[in-house]
Amino acid sequence: DAGVIQSPRHEVTEMGQEVTLRCKPISGHNSLFWYRQTMMRGLELLIYFNNNVPIDDSGMPEDRFSAKMPNASFSTLKIQPSEPRDSAVYFCASSVGQVPNEKLFFGSGTQLSVL
Amino acid sequence: AQSVTQPDIHITVSEGASLELRCNYSYGATPYLFWYVQSPGQGLQLLLKYFSGDTLVQGIKGFEAEFKRSQSSFNLRKPSVHWSDAAEYFCAVGPITGNQFYFGTGTSLTVIP
């Protein structure tokens, strides 16, 4: 299996621009997670989906952030408009099943720089 | 509130020396505890996990961790560090509700020759 695939690996954009991060989970996994990693706050859960339905988006920082999962094999995290404080590494992860969830499979992350 | 604390932001050890990375958690019930490693430019990889039973758990790459309920700790150890162990290490607790995990802020490990 190719694992969780994220694109792009690196994104550099200017403040105010729209940014779209993409994720392809492992085939057969029905839970998908978006995390953000910063030096100050460490790894934070932004949102997670189960069977393509958003279950908890309480970690989404503000309305500029939105996430979709139109089908079981694809998810996007969009920031519009982007701001310099959004600069971080964004991880996507997927897993099988519900509680207890013993293993998450992480993608390699997208390094976002907003200038 | 549920939280995970990794008190050491950065640790430097010599190759061949022993290693212990600290993790403390705050959680309202029996926790499920995890250690992940993130190598430069890579995603996160699960090192080991604790659900129940033996409080000393063995993981990959020669790592082990001990769950101590009385101390709310889940410290990661390795008897002899290799240069390839240089990475960022994250402790996590979960799930709490649904499939949420809560992570510590990470400990950066540097290994010197």
Side-chain angles (χ1 to χ4, degrees):
Chain A
D1 198 311
V4 176
I5 300 173
Q6 290 186 247
S7 63
R9 288 296 302 272
H10 303 275
E11 177 79 33
V12 180
T13 190
E14 293 186 345
M15 183 175 63
Q17 297 298 306
E18 177 180 296
V19 175
T20 300
L21 311 181
R22 297 173 177 79
C23 175
K24 177 180 169 55
I26 294 174
S27 177
H29 285 192
N30 60 357
S31 292
L32 183 140
F33 307 78
W34 282 102
Y35 286 89
R36 177 174 65 176
Q37 180 184 338
T38 61
M39 286 294 294
M40 292 300 295
R41 300 174 67 90
L43 204 61
E44 303 171 278
L45 176 65
L46 300 178
I47 184 172
Y48 80 90
F49 296 84
N50 183 255
N51 293 324
N52 312 337
V53 176
I55 303 301
D56 187 341
D57 64 354
S58 60
M60 297 286 263
E62 47 196 277
D63 293 344
R64 297 184 297 107
F65 286 70
S66 62
K68 294 182 180 179
M69 192 165 186
N71 56 62
S73 60
F74 184 66
S75 178
T76 60
L77 178 67
K78 184 177 294 186
I79 308 173
Q80 167 64 16
S82 59
E83 297 182 4
R85 61 194 169 113
D86 300 331
S87 298
V89 180
Y90 291 80
F91 284 100
C92 177
S94 70
S95 70
V96 177
Q98 285 273 6
V99 174
N101 184 352
E102 66 178 74
K103 187 163 186 174
L104 286 175
F105 293 81
F106 283 83
S108 297
T110 294
Q111 174 81 55
L112 173 64
S113 298
V114 183
L115 306 177
Chain B
Q2 292 82 7
S3 67
V4 177
T5 303
Q6 293 181 244
D8 305 305
I9 297 174
H10 186 243
I11 285 181
T12 299
V13 298
S14 298
E15 190 168 15
S18 63
L19 170 71
E20 182 169 27
L21 303 182
R22 296 183 291 167
C23 173
N24 294 96
Y25 64 90
S26 173
Y27 188 66
T30 300
Y32 298 140
L33 295 157
F34 307 79
W35 274 100
Y36 287 87
V37 60
Q38 181 187 358
S39 298
Q42 303 296 316
L44 291 169
Q45 180 182 21
L46 179 67
L47 280 177
L48 48 79
K49 59 187 183 291
Y50 170 77
F51 284 171
S52 64
D54 191 348
T55 57
L56 183 64
V57 293
Q58 303 296 321
I60 63 172
K61 304 184 179 185
F63 285 92
E64 66 178 26
E66 185 171 13
F67 170 58
K68 293 184 177 180
R69 184 187 301 275
S70 61
Q71 300 178 17
S72 296
S73 69
F74 189 57
N75 294 349
L76 181 71
R77 300 194 294 251
K78 187 170 184 177
S80 178
V81 171
H82 188 262
W83 65 265
S84 61
D85 294 324
E88 189 85 15
Y89 291 80
F90 290 91
C91 180
V93 61
I96 297 172
T97 57
N99 281 337
Q100 290 175 283
F101 284 73
Y102 289 83
F103 285 77
T105 51
T107 298
S108 178
L109 175 65
T110 297
V111 180
I112 56 178

